[in-house]
Amino acid sequence: MRFIQSIFLLALMGATCAASAGADSAARPAEKLPEDRQPPPFNWSQPMLIPVKVEVQPGGARLSAGGQTIRFTGELFRLDADQALDARWKMAEREFTTFSLDVTARASSRLRRVQWFAGEWEPEAEQAIQSTRLMDNVLFLRKGDVSFFLSLDFPFSRIDTNGVSYPPNETLAPDQRYSAHSLTIGACRLSGIRVGKYDRAEIEAVSRYVEQRFPPRFERPMFLSACIVNRMTYVRDGLIFYSMHDNPTLGLNPELLEEDIRLCGELGIEYFQVFEGVFDWPDEAKAGAALRKLTKLAKPLGVRLGDYVGLDGPYCPHYNYEKRSLDKPEWRQKSADGKDGPPCLASGYGDFLREKLVAHNRKYAEQMICLDFLSIHPCHATSHGHAPGDIYQQVRGLVALCEVLGAIDPEYLVWSNSGNWQDFMPKLTWVNPNVYLTDPIVRGYEPTLNTLKILGDSRREQMVSIHDRYFVPFRAFCNCEYYAFPRSRVHDLRVFEYSFLQGLAVTPNICPAEVRTFFNRIPGPQRDACARFMRRWMDFVRKNFDLWKHTAIVSDSPGIGATEIYAHTRADRGFVCLVNQNPFPRTARFRLDQSIGLTTGEKFFVSEIYPKESPLAEQALPGSARGQELVCEVPPHSVRFLQIEPAQKSSRSLQVLGLPAQVKRTSSGYDIVLSAPQGKLEKLGLVFPPGEALASVSARRKPTVKAYTFPVSARMVEQSGNVARVEVQFPRGLAPRALGSWKVTPGDVQAQLPASGCHFLGGLVHGAFSEDYEVELNVTTKRDATAGSLPPTAPTEQPKAEPLPEAKQQTFTTSFDLPFIESPGWNVMPGYEDDTVLELAFDDPQTVKNIAARLNGKPVEVRTYPCARRGEFLTHYIELTGNAKPGTIELSLDIEWK
């Protein structure tokens, strides 16, 4: 006989439940409002969670937070069991309120389901459920400007009119106690900023709950890598064969693994995963000896080792040399129509994995594991002890596996790889703290001539969108930087720094994959510079992890046309990261206030730490005030990292803002030595010590051969007391980069691309030769100056671009100067490293039927580059090397549209 036990709310016990029609009942995204009706920017300085009070009353409950109250009628919990059970619940209040429940069986009983808050919410509460494909995560209850959320503290639940529930299907012996999964209630203040189905405040509140409900396993960034090299491979006779040139494995080439581990030590990578995994070891004695030797090598280098298991196997098809298989058909998942699937983690397979892996990891002192090929789906097998169509018991088996592995060592890392991990996010991060959601993936089109870049942009877009859809904390993402595709049309070295930093703008973690092969294929002199760059920025994130573990999304999400701003701040200091993935420049705007998370401080000083290392010229002089807007130009395919600190007292020496500078005091003022790319017009700020002011400024270069003494200049732009802005023109011609100004016919329209309604986004020159030049400024000063101030700089406002007239065929014409390029007269053959190419960017190349191009009136071929991971994603380009001479170039494009 089934016994439905309802606990009504008495003095110490209560009742509640969530009614909702499922995931599709979530509120739809609000329509975009006109600019004058847009909500204010999100307040990243406020607590993401506001205090919530739950009053348990007879026959119901009342939730209160932020001046709003929601009433519930029903039962706090309901137990579906064969026999009556004794139940005791507790309530704990902190940043949120958590209910726990213990039940004890009077007689042998089967506990089929536990339901929290079984009943009805008041009709005034708007309900929304966040779900994945396989389960429900969170119930939101919105009223006024407050959203309450209910979440089971386990990575599986169902949310419907029966409450927040799960099916333990546990048989309890007499007097046996069972602790149910707890349930947490939190609340947040709605911002009015809708991101898909959810308010930005709801996303950040649940993400913060995930971080705080259980203490994070690691309070540091996760830097890891793996040894697999997926290049020289082919499949034959059901096996994946590798070349021995790039096959670092315990059984076949442990010497190459030693090279990998030394590189990890050099770069500062803490965790390194080796192959083969234990189930694929061809010879246990040989592989075990190799692993022990590698562990001895790794320990003084600060590198922790681990290996691998395929959860759907447990063998890895890449290394299953013996074609082993798991001869346990009774362990397999069964679909509803009786077909076999991968092993079910709720069957004996789960016990088998736990026993084998724990013993193996302890024996070899391993400190990490890669769990690959997760494949949990409804299982209808009748011999596994779970209900038909079960998912919960499989998730419980997965959690148990992660927990016993994590118990091996406090520093043990469970690292997930491919499979359907996303279906159990975000709460699976409690036992799987470093989430690698997919292999290298290109999720959407963007114009690109380099695979490393589009993989980085896709990964950043994935992290932001998964955070916004599934509330995964940014500190949990693996951020795998894959150096797997060596022959992009634009060399990896041209995008290497951008790709490395664009991911770190969002998350503190990074996983450089196949990095040894990257170092092996780049020119020797640049190898050490790349290694120092990686080490520098991983050390930087380590040092600033307390700021980097939280990320504020200040502006656009990644995508074509986006201007991305991410902030990592606390109190009166922190960092702002600007990212532009586009082939055209963007203008980033942000305020020094709560919209980037600054909770305190009135005066600030902002410095650029990448790509330049100098105080920021765009800020107010002598420093910035709270609430001021900073406007920064972000060039194509670039990132800028800015540091915000409290303003200090006036300096006794001259401060130069905008470029690194060597400053020397002279009898009449100062000599300043600057360096910048040829042809650049640099705008600088000068802050003089109290009492001094700018009298005059001039520029010169050290004299050399007369023909090579190129003109330079400097002029004062504006001045106030002891602060001034100057412009410095560096010598020679500026190398071209973004080509945005075009004449368009028919219509003879002068257009600035990108423009509304036009699929052509403009051009981007890659690899145009440029070199840096030194310029000396002679600054004379005058005395008795007052303390002055100048506002932040503002770019010249461009007139709003009018949509281009529609036409089946259009001609776009522009001109640019090439100071240097190898002349066609030298019989130059295009290469893949040093040559100059012109990318023709479109938002959708499928709209293009045909392109004909002319350089200075001479026809030139327009080629296409297919993305390595998505061959249908084409980017058009012209090879300038071999087709263009130094000097002025007129480019005409005849584009026929589909």
Side-chain angles (χ1 to χ4, degrees):
M1 180 185 71
R2 178 173 295 186
F3 189 89
I4 306 296
Q5 184 170 356
S6 301
I7 306 297
F8 291 93
L9 298 173
L10 304 174
L12 295 176
M13 295 189 177
T16 331
C17 177
S20 177
D24 291 338
S25 68
R28 295 179 180 178
E31 293 182 8
K32 189 173 181 62
L33 297 172
E35 280 192 30
D36 59 349
R37 294 179 56 205
Q38 288 289 330
F42 187 75
N43 182 357
W44 290 97
S45 68
Q46 68 185 355
M48 296 299 114
L49 296 160
I50 62 175
V52 57
K53 183 173 182 59
V54 182
E55 297 178 67
V56 176
Q57 302 168 336
R62 185 168 64 180
L63 314 184
S64 300
Q68 298 291 343
T69 297
I70 291 181
R71 299 182 183 279
F72 167 80
T73 303
E75 308 156 48
L76 176 62
F77 60 88
R78 180 184 295 169
L79 306 175
D80 181 357
D82 292 336
Q83 304 293 330
L85 303 172
D86 294 326
R88 294 188 62 84
W89 62 270
K90 295 179 181 178
M91 183 175 69
E93 295 180 337
R94 35 187 257 199
E95 300 89 346
F96 32 72
T97 297
T98 298
F99 288 91
S100 59
L101 172 67
D102 288 331
V103 299
T104 304
R106 302 173 186 173
S108 179
S109 180
R110 181 82 167 174
L111 177 59
R112 293 181 176 85
R113 183 167 293 273
V114 175
Q115 301 167 355
W116 284 104
F117 286 84
E120 294 183 352
W121 298 98
E122 65 177 55
E124 290 78 13
E126 176 192 359
Q127 300 184 34
I129 299 172
Q130 189 274 332
S131 303
T132 73
R133 293 178 304 171
L134 296 178
M135 59 114 180
D136 307 313
N137 260 321
V138 181
L139 169 66
F140 292 108
L141 301 166
R142 300 166 183 153
K143 188 174 182 182
D145 63 346
V146 172
S147 179
F148 300 84
F149 67 84
L150 283 73
S151 173
L152 193 73
D153 299 328
F154 186 80
F156 180 88
S157 63
R158 294 293 186 196
I159 303 175
D160 53 27
T161 52
N162 292 316
V164 181
S165 66
Y166 71 97
N169 277 293
E170 192 92 10
T171 299
L172 305 179
D175 297 324
Q176 181 180 347
R177 190 175 72 174
Y178 171 80
S179 293
H181 297 306
S182 57
L183 179 129
T184 291
I185 301 175
C188 63
R189 182 81 63 183
L190 291 169
S191 68
I193 301 171
R194 188 59 67 88
V195 183
K197 296 180 178 180
Y198 314 108
D199 190 277
R200 169 59 67 195
E202 293 174 324
I203 295 168
E204 302 309 323
V206 176
S207 180
R208 196 60 56 92
Y209 145 74
V210 171
E211 289 186 73
Q212 295 181 2
R213 176 62 184 90
F214 300 103
R217 184 170 182 84
F218 300 107
E219 282 295 337
R220 62 180 185 271
M222 294 286 99
F223 302 141
L224 63 154
S225 188
C227 70
I228 193 169
V229 178
N230 284 305
R231 283 175 52 212
M232 297 290 194
T233 62
Y234 67 95
V235 179
R236 187 184 69 193
D237 300 329
L239 294 179
I240 300 175
F241 285 88
Y242 289 78
S243 74
M244 293 308 296
H245 172 73
D246 264 334
N247 194 15
T249 52
L250 295 169
L252 294 175
N253 201 342
E255 294 79 14
L256 210 50
L257 284 172
E258 293 181 17
E259 188 177 334
D260 282 333
I261 291 169
R262 291 190 180 94
L263 180 58
C264 287
E266 178 185 0
L267 299 179
I269 295 171
E270 183 180 2
Y271 290 90
F272 184 67
Q273 184 249 308
V274 303
F275 284 102
E276 305 84 4
V278 57
F279 291 101
D280 299 308
W281 280 11
D283 182 319
E284 182 169 356
K286 181 180 177 181
L291 182 54
R292 285 196 170 96
K293 182 180 178 183
L294 293 172
T295 301
K296 186 177 180 180
L297 168 68
K299 189 171 183 179
L301 297 175
V303 181
R304 307 178 192 276
L305 300 188
D307 60 14
Y308 170 98
V309 64
L311 293 175
D312 69 345
Y315 310 100
C316 179
H318 303 67
Y319 302 102
N320 190 4
Y321 315 124
E322 311 294 334
K323 295 187 178 181
R324 297 165 178 162
S325 62
L326 190 66
D327 188 21
K328 292 285 186 179
E330 68 274 16
W331 288 353
R332 293 198 169 274
Q333 296 177 25
K334 287 281 188 184
S335 64
D337 57 3
K339 293 180 181 178
D340 282 343
C344 174
L345 289 169
S347 70
Y349 180 62
D351 298 329
F352 165 74
L353 281 182
R354 288 191 293 273
E355 293 171 11
K356 176 71 173 179
L357 292 176
V358 169
H360 168 76
N361 278 259
R362 289 191 183 280
K363 181 176 181 180
Y364 292 99
E366 295 184 75
Q367 291 181 292
M368 77 167 293
I369 194 167
C370 174
L371 301 182
D372 204 357
F373 297 119
L374 180 68
S375 185
I376 291 179
H377 300 284
C379 179
H380 294 263
T382 58
S383 60
H384 296 172
H386 56 61
D390 171 79
I391 294 173
Y392 165 76
Q393 294 290 351
Q394 296 179 71
V395 177
R396 195 169 77 163
L398 176 63
V399 169
L401 174 62
C402 295
E403 287 177 338
V404 296
L405 289 169
I408 291 173
D409 187 294
E411 306 302 331
Y412 196 98
L413 172 64
V414 175
W415 179 42
S416 62
N417 203 304
S418 64
N420 63 335
W421 299 88
Q422 183 174 306
D423 288 324
F424 307 103
M425 291 293 130
K427 290 175 276 188
L428 200 57
T429 59
W430 289 330
V431 292
N432 167 212
N434 196 256
V435 182
Y436 177 70
L437 291 173
T438 59
D439 278 326
I441 185 172
V442 176
R443 287 162 57 94
Y445 179 78
E446 68 170 272
T448 185
L449 294 177
N450 181 274
T451 300
L452 180 63
K453 178 187 180 296
I454 194 172
L455 287 175
D457 290 335
S458 294
R459 189 173 65 252
R460 188 182 70 260
E461 181 276 329
Q462 184 187 42
M463 289 189 286
V464 172
S465 63
I466 293 297
H467 171 80
D468 285 350
R469 289 181 61 197
Y470 298 95
F471 319 142
V472 176
F474 282 111
R475 67 184 289 175
F477 288 114
C478 173
N479 185 28
C480 188
E481 176 83 342
Y482 241 108
Y483 299 97
F485 305 95
R487 291 183 188 85
S488 295
R489 187 59 193 87
V490 169
H491 196 277
D492 282 353
L493 285 174
R494 298 199 187 281
V495 301
F496 161 72
E497 293 187 3
Y498 166 85
S499 187
F500 196 84
L501 291 181
Q502 59 79 31
L504 288 179
V506 172
T507 177
N509 309 319
I510 194 164
C511 171
E514 304 198 20
V515 66
R516 174 179 48 79
T517 65
F518 170 70
F519 283 133
N520 287 347
R521 69 177 180 257
I522 64 178
Q526 290 161 301
R527 184 264 179 216
D528 289 348
C530 289
R532 287 194 300 271
F533 182 88
M534 286 184 169
R535 181 73 193 226
R536 170 196 169 185
W537 286 102
M538 286 192 278
D539 286 347
F540 168 84
V541 176
R542 279 193 184 95
K543 179 181 177 182
N544 294 288
F545 177 71
D546 198 45
L547 294 170
W548 231 264
K549 61 188 177 183
H550 294 131
T551 302
I553 304 173
V554 179
S555 62
D556 301 335
S557 295
I560 295 176
T563 304
E564 299 172 61
I565 305 174
Y566 304 98
H568 308 271
T569 60
R570 188 181 64 185
D572 58 357
R573 65 196 64 223
F575 300 89
V576 172
C577 306
L578 314 178
V579 181
N580 179 16
Q581 73 178 62
N582 297 287
F584 44 83
R586 296 278 81 186
T587 300
R589 300 172 181 269
F590 64 92
R591 293 191 179 276
L592 296 169
D593 60 15
Q594 67 276 5
S595 64
I596 61 169
L598 295 173
T599 57
T600 61
E602 294 300 324
K603 299 290 184 180
F604 305 96
F605 195 71
V606 185
S607 299
E608 184 167 12
I609 60 173
Y610 181 87
K612 301 175 185 177
E613 294 183 59
S614 67
L616 186 71
E618 292 96 323
Q619 69 187 311
L621 301 181
S624 296
R626 186 175 191 84
Q628 282 184 328
E629 182 182 61
L630 297 188
V631 183
C632 301
E633 293 297 317
V634 192
H637 296 184
S638 71
V639 299
R640 296 181 69 180
F641 278 26
L642 311 178
Q643 183 172 14
I644 301 169
E645 298 176 291
Q648 303 298 315
K649 292 182 179 179
S650 300
S651 173
R652 293 187 177 182
S653 62
L654 171 66
Q655 278 189 309
V656 179
L657 291 79
L659 282 176
Q662 300 174 39
V663 179
K664 181 181 178 181
R665 169 80 73 170
T666 66
S667 59
S668 59
Y670 300 90
D671 282 342
I672 306 171
V673 178
L674 306 166
S675 179
Q678 64 183 69
K680 285 293 292 293
L681 179 65
E682 293 285 0
K683 300 178 180 180
L684 308 178
L686 301 178
V687 179
F688 292 87
E692 287 186 8
L694 176 65
S696 67
V697 60
S698 61
R700 66 173 184 170
R701 291 200 69 236
K702 288 182 179 179
T704 177
V705 176
K706 184 176 180 181
Y708 273 72
T709 306
F710 304 107
V712 296
S713 63
R715 73 179 186 94
M716 182 174 66
V717 177
E718 57 180 339
Q719 183 178 24
S720 172
N722 69 326
V723 299
R725 297 193 191 276
V726 300
E727 286 183 347
V728 181
Q729 178 62 62
F730 280 74
R732 311 199 78 167
L734 180 67
R737 185 62 168 147
L739 306 181
S741 181
W742 297 77
K743 181 181 178 182
V744 186
T745 58
D748 287 338
V749 177
Q750 194 64 36
Q752 185 68 33
L753 299 183
S756 174
C758 182
H759 293 292
F760 182 43
L761 305 175
L764 185 66
V765 180
H766 299 270
F769 180 83
S770 179
E771 56 190 352
D772 289 353
Y773 282 83
E774 277 194 356
V775 167
E776 296 180 5
L777 295 188
N778 177 252
V779 174
T780 60
T781 58
K782 55 188 177 183
R783 298 291 177 180
D784 302 323
T786 59
S789 64
L790 290 172
T793 61
T796 303
E797 289 294 331
Q798 298 292 333
K800 188 173 182 180
E802 296 296 327
L804 297 180
E806 293 185 8
K808 192 71 176 176
Q809 184 167 323
Q810 293 173 303
T811 298
F812 293 78
T813 304
T814 191
S815 62
F816 57 95
D817 290 324
L818 274 174
F820 295 100
I821 193 170
E822 292 130 306
S823 171
W826 292 96
N827 195 28
V828 174
M829 296 298 293
Y832 275 76
E833 295 181 11
D834 299 325
D835 54 336
T836 305
V837 297
L838 169 56
E839 176 183 332
L840 305 175
F842 294 84
D843 62 5
D844 180 2
Q846 300 302 319
T847 62
V848 179
K849 183 176 182 180
N850 186 57
I851 307 179
R854 298 179 300 282
L855 294 176
N856 289 338
K858 181 181 178 181
V860 64
E861 181 184 5
V862 177
R863 298 188 172 188
T864 56
Y865 168 75
C867 175
R869 298 295 287 176
R870 295 285 294 273
E872 73 275 20
F873 285 178
L874 302 176
T875 299
H876 296 80
Y877 69 96
I878 295 171
E879 292 177 340
L880 295 179
T881 299
N883 290 309
K885 297 179 181 180
T888 300
I889 307 293
E890 183 181 86
L891 168 65
S892 293
L893 303 173
D894 298 326
I895 302 178
E896 183 180 0
W897 304 103
K898 289 181 180 178

